[in-house]
Coordinates of all heavy atoms in Angstrom, one line a residue:
C1 N 20.0 10.7 44.8 CA 21.4 11.3 45.0 C 21.8 11.1 46.5 O 23.0 10.8 46.8 CB 21.4 12.8 44.7 SG 20.9 13.1 43.0
S2 N 20.9 11.2 47.4 CA 21.2 11.1 48.8 C 21.6 9.7 49.1 O 22.6 9.4 49.8 CB 19.9 11.4 49.7 OG 20.2 11.2 51.0
N3 N 20.9 8.7 48.5 CA 21.3 7.3 48.7 C 22.7 7.0 48.2 O 23.5 6.3 48.8 CB 20.3 6.3 48.1 CG 18.9 6.4 48.8 OD1 18.9 6.7 50.0 ND2 17.9 6.0 48.1
H4 N 23.0 7.5 47.0 CA 24.3 7.3 46.4 C 25.4 8.0 47.2 O 26.5 7.5 47.3 CB 24.3 7.8 45.0 CG 23.7 6.9 44.0 ND1 24.4 5.8 43.5 CD2 22.5 6.8 43.4 CE1 23.6 5.1 42.7 NE2 22.5 5.7 42.6
F5 N 25.1 9.2 47.8 CA 26.0 9.9 48.6 C 26.4 9.0 49.8 O 27.6 8.9 50.2 CB 25.4 11.2 49.1 CG 26.3 11.9 50.2 CD1 27.3 12.7 49.8 CD2 26.0 11.7 51.5 CE1 28.1 13.3 50.8 CE2 26.7 12.3 52.5 CZ 27.8 13.1 52.1
Q6 N 25.4 8.4 50.4 CA 25.7 7.6 51.6 C 26.4 6.3 51.3 O 27.3 5.9 52.0 CB 24.4 7.2 52.3 CG 23.7 8.5 52.9 CD 22.4 8.2 53.6 OE1 22.3 7.6 54.6 NE2 21.3 8.6 52.9
D7 N 26.1 5.7 50.1 CA 26.9 4.6 49.6 C 28.4 5.0 49.4 O 29.3 4.2 49.7 CB 26.3 4.0 48.3 CG 25.1 3.2 48.6 OD1 24.8 2.8 49.8 OD2 24.3 3.0 47.6
N8 N 28.6 6.1 48.8 CA 29.9 6.6 48.5 C 30.7 6.9 49.8 O 31.9 6.8 49.8 CB 29.9 7.8 47.6 CG 29.8 7.4 46.1 OD1 30.7 6.9 45.5 ND2 28.6 7.7 45.5
A9 N 30.0 7.3 50.8 CA 30.6 7.5 52.1 C 31.2 6.2 52.7 O 32.3 6.2 53.2 CB 29.6 8.1 53.1
I10 N 30.5 5.1 52.5 CA 31.0 3.8 52.8 C 32.3 3.5 52.1 O 33.3 3.0 52.6 CB 29.9 2.7 52.6 CG1 28.7 2.9 53.5 CG2 30.5 1.3 52.8 CD1 27.6 2.0 53.1
L11 N 32.2 3.7 50.8 CA 33.4 3.4 49.9 C 34.6 4.3 50.2 O 35.7 3.9 50.1 CB 33.0 3.5 48.4 CG 32.1 2.4 47.9 CD1 31.6 2.7 46.5 CD2 32.8 1.1 48.0
W12 N 34.3 5.6 50.6 CA 35.4 6.5 50.9 C 36.1 6.0 52.1 O 37.4 6.0 52.1 CB 34.8 7.9 51.1 CG 35.9 8.8 51.5 CD1 36.9 9.4 50.8 CD2 36.2 9.2 52.9 NE1 37.7 10.2 51.6 CE2 37.3 10.1 52.9 CE3 35.6 8.9 54.1 CZ2 37.9 10.6 54.0 CZ3 36.2 9.5 55.3 CH2 37.3 10.3 55.2
L13 N 35.4 5.6 53.2 CA 36.1 5.2 54.4 C 36.9 3.9 54.1 O 38.0 3.7 54.6 CB 35.1 4.9 55.5 CG 35.7 4.5 56.8 CD1 36.6 5.6 57.3 CD2 34.5 4.3 57.8
W14 N 36.3 3.0 53.3 CA 37.1 1.8 52.9 C 38.4 2.2 52.1 O 39.4 1.6 52.4 CB 36.2 0.9 51.9 CG 36.9 0.0 51.1 CD1 37.5 -1.2 51.4 CD2 37.2 0.1 49.7 NE1 38.0 -1.8 50.4 CE2 37.9 -1.0 49.3 CE3 36.9 1.1 48.7 CZ2 38.3 -1.2 48.0 CZ3 37.3 0.9 47.4 CH2 38.0 -0.2 47.1
S15 N 38.3 3.1 51.2 CA 39.5 3.5 50.5 C 40.5 4.2 51.4 O 41.7 3.9 51.3 CB 39.1 4.5 49.4 OG 40.2 5.0 48.6
A16 N 40.0 5.0 52.3 CA 41.0 5.7 53.3 C 41.6 4.6 54.2 O 42.8 4.7 54.5 CB 40.2 6.7 54.1
H17 N 40.9 3.6 54.6 CA 41.4 2.5 55.4 C 42.5 1.8 54.7 O 43.6 1.5 55.2 CB 40.3 1.6 55.8 CG 40.7 0.6 56.9 ND1 39.8 -0.2 57.5 CD2 41.9 0.3 57.5 CE1 40.4 -1.0 58.4 NE2 41.7 -0.7 58.4
N18 N 42.3 1.5 53.4 CA 43.3 0.8 52.6 C 44.5 1.6 52.4 O 45.7 1.1 52.3 CB 42.7 0.4 51.3 CG 42.1 -1.0 51.3 OD1 42.4 -1.8 52.2 ND2 41.3 -1.4 50.4
E19 N 44.3 3.0 52.3 CA 45.5 3.8 52.2 C 46.4 3.8 53.4 O 47.6 3.8 53.4 CB 45.0 5.3 51.9 CG 46.1 6.3 51.8 CD 47.0 6.1 50.6 OE1 46.5 5.5 49.6 OE2 48.2 6.4 50.7
V20 N 45.7 3.7 54.6 CA 46.5 3.6 55.8 C 47.2 2.2 55.9 O 48.4 2.1 56.3 CB 45.5 3.7 57.1 CG1 46.3 3.4 58.4 CG2 45.0 5.1 57.1
N21 N 46.5 1.2 55.5 CA 47.2 -0.2 55.4 C 48.4 -0.2 54.5 O 49.4 -0.8 54.8 CB 46.2 -1.2 54.9 CG 45.2 -1.6 56.0 OD1 45.3 -1.3 57.2 ND2 44.1 -2.3 55.6
R22 N 48.3 0.5 53.4 CA 49.4 0.6 52.5 C 50.6 1.3 53.1 O 51.7 0.9 53.0 CB 49.0 1.3 51.2 CG 50.1 1.3 50.1 CD 49.6 2.1 48.9 NE 48.4 1.5 48.2 CZ 47.2 2.0 48.2 NH1 47.0 3.1 48.8 NH2 46.2 1.3 47.6
R23 N 50.3 2.4 53.8 CA 51.4 3.2 54.4 C 52.0 2.5 55.6 O 53.3 2.6 55.8 CB 50.8 4.5 54.9 CG 51.8 5.5 55.6 CD 51.1 6.8 55.9 NE 49.9 6.7 56.6 CZ 49.9 6.7 58.0 NH1 51.1 6.6 58.6 NH2 48.8 6.6 58.6
L24 N 51.3 1.7 56.3 CA 51.8 1.0 57.5 C 52.3 -0.4 57.2 O 52.8 -1.1 58.1 CB 50.8 0.9 58.6 CG 50.3 2.3 59.2 CD1 49.3 2.0 60.3 CD2 51.5 3.0 59.7
A25 N 52.2 -0.9 56.0 CA 52.7 -2.2 55.6 C 54.2 -2.3 55.9 O 55.0 -1.5 55.3 CB 52.4 -2.6 54.2
G26 N 54.7 -3.3 56.7 CA 56.1 -3.4 57.0 C 56.6 -2.5 58.1 O 57.7 -2.5 58.5
D27 N 55.7 -1.6 58.6 CA 56.0 -0.7 59.7 C 56.3 -1.5 61.0 O 55.8 -2.7 61.2 CB 54.9 0.3 59.9 CG 55.3 1.4 60.9 OD1 56.0 2.3 60.4 OD2 54.9 1.3 62.0
A28 N 57.0 -0.9 61.9 CA 57.3 -1.6 63.2 C 56.0 -1.9 64.0 O 56.0 -2.7 64.9 CB 58.2 -0.7 64.0
T29 N 54.9 -1.1 63.7 CA 53.7 -1.3 64.4 C 52.9 -2.5 63.9 O 51.8 -2.8 64.4 CB 52.8 0.0 64.4 OG1 52.6 0.3 63.0 CG2 53.6 1.1 65.0
E30 N 53.3 -3.1 62.8 CA 52.5 -4.1 62.1 C 52.7 -5.4 62.9 O 53.8 -5.9 63.3 CB 53.0 -4.3 60.7 CG 52.2 -5.4 59.9 CD 52.8 -5.5 58.5 OE1 54.0 -5.6 58.3 OE2 51.9 -5.5 57.6
D31 N 51.6 -6.1 63.1 CA 51.5 -7.4 63.8 C 51.9 -8.5 62.7 O 51.2 -8.6 61.7 CB 50.1 -7.7 64.3 CG 50.1 -9.0 65.1 OD1 51.0 -9.9 64.9 OD2 49.1 -9.2 65.8
P32 N 53.0 -9.2 62.9 CA 53.4 -10.2 61.9 C 52.4 -11.2 61.6 O 52.3 -11.7 60.4 CB 54.7 -10.8 62.5 CG 55.2 -9.8 63.5 CD 53.9 -9.1 64.0
A33 N 51.5 -11.5 62.6 CA 50.5 -12.5 62.3 C 49.3 -11.9 61.5 O 48.5 -12.7 61.0 CB 50.0 -13.0 63.7
H34 N 49.3 -10.6 61.5 CA 48.2 -10.0 60.8 C 48.7 -8.8 59.9 O 48.6 -7.6 60.3 CB 47.1 -9.4 61.7 CG 46.5 -10.5 62.6 ND1 45.5 -11.3 62.2 CD2 46.8 -10.9 63.9 CE1 45.2 -12.2 63.1 NE2 46.0 -11.9 64.2
P35 N 49.4 -9.1 58.8 CA 50.0 -8.1 58.0 C 49.0 -7.1 57.4 O 47.8 -7.5 57.2 CB 50.7 -8.9 56.9 CG 50.0 -10.2 56.8 CD 49.5 -10.5 58.2
K36 N 49.5 -5.9 57.1 CA 48.6 -4.9 56.6 C 48.4 -5.1 55.1 O 49.3 -4.8 54.3 CB 49.2 -3.5 56.8 CG 49.4 -3.1 58.3 CD 48.1 -2.9 58.9 CE 48.3 -2.3 60.4 NZ 47.0 -2.1 61.1
V37 N 47.3 -5.8 54.7 CA 47.0 -6.0 53.3 C 45.8 -5.2 52.9 O 45.1 -4.6 53.7 CB 46.7 -7.5 53.1 CG1 47.9 -8.4 53.5 CG2 45.5 -8.0 53.9
Q38 N 45.6 -5.2 51.6 CA 44.5 -4.5 51.0 C 43.2 -5.3 51.2 O 43.2 -6.5 50.9 CB 44.7 -4.2 49.5 CG 45.9 -3.2 49.3 CD 45.6 -1.9 49.9 OE1 44.8 -1.1 49.4 NE2 46.3 -1.6 51.0
F39 N 42.2 -4.6 51.8 CA 41.0 -5.3 52.2 C 39.9 -4.9 51.3 O 39.8 -3.8 50.8 CB 40.7 -4.8 53.6 CG 39.3 -5.3 54.2 CD1 39.2 -6.6 54.7 CD2 38.2 -4.5 54.1 CE1 38.0 -7.1 55.2 CE2 37.0 -5.0 54.6 CZ 36.9 -6.3 55.1
P40 N 39.0 -5.9 50.9 CA 39.1 -7.3 51.3 C 40.1 -8.0 50.4 O 40.3 -7.7 49.3 CB 37.6 -7.8 51.0 CG 37.2 -6.9 49.9 CD 37.8 -5.6 50.2
S41 N 40.6 -9.1 51.0 CA 41.6 -9.9 50.3 C 40.9 -10.7 49.2 O 39.7 -10.8 49.1 CB 42.3 -10.9 51.2 OG 41.4 -11.8 51.7
A42 N 41.7 -11.2 48.3 CA 41.2 -12.0 47.1 C 40.5 -13.2 47.7 O 39.5 -13.7 47.1 CB 42.3 -12.4 46.2

């Protein structure tokens, strides 16, 4: 269970990061050369 908890912590941060990318996509703070896409890309 402990190992799975730590794996899920990795996935939770990944999911939270993508949520931020989704919110900031098209925002004035977005670098046009590096658009906010869902990570990892296809």
Side-chain angles (χ1 to χ4, degrees):
C1 302
S2 177
N3 291 336
H4 280 282
F5 171 83
Q6 293 178 71
D7 284 345
N8 277 289
I10 296 173
L11 289 173
W12 174 79
L13 185 58
W14 159 76
S15 179
H17 190 171
N18 270 342
E19 180 63 32
V20 173
N21 282 349
R22 183 183 299 111
R23 180 171 56 83
L24 295 180
D27 188 80
T29 60
E30 183 180 46
D31 183 344
H34 301 280
K36 299 289 186 182
V37 298
Q38 294 297 284
F39 175 80
S41 67

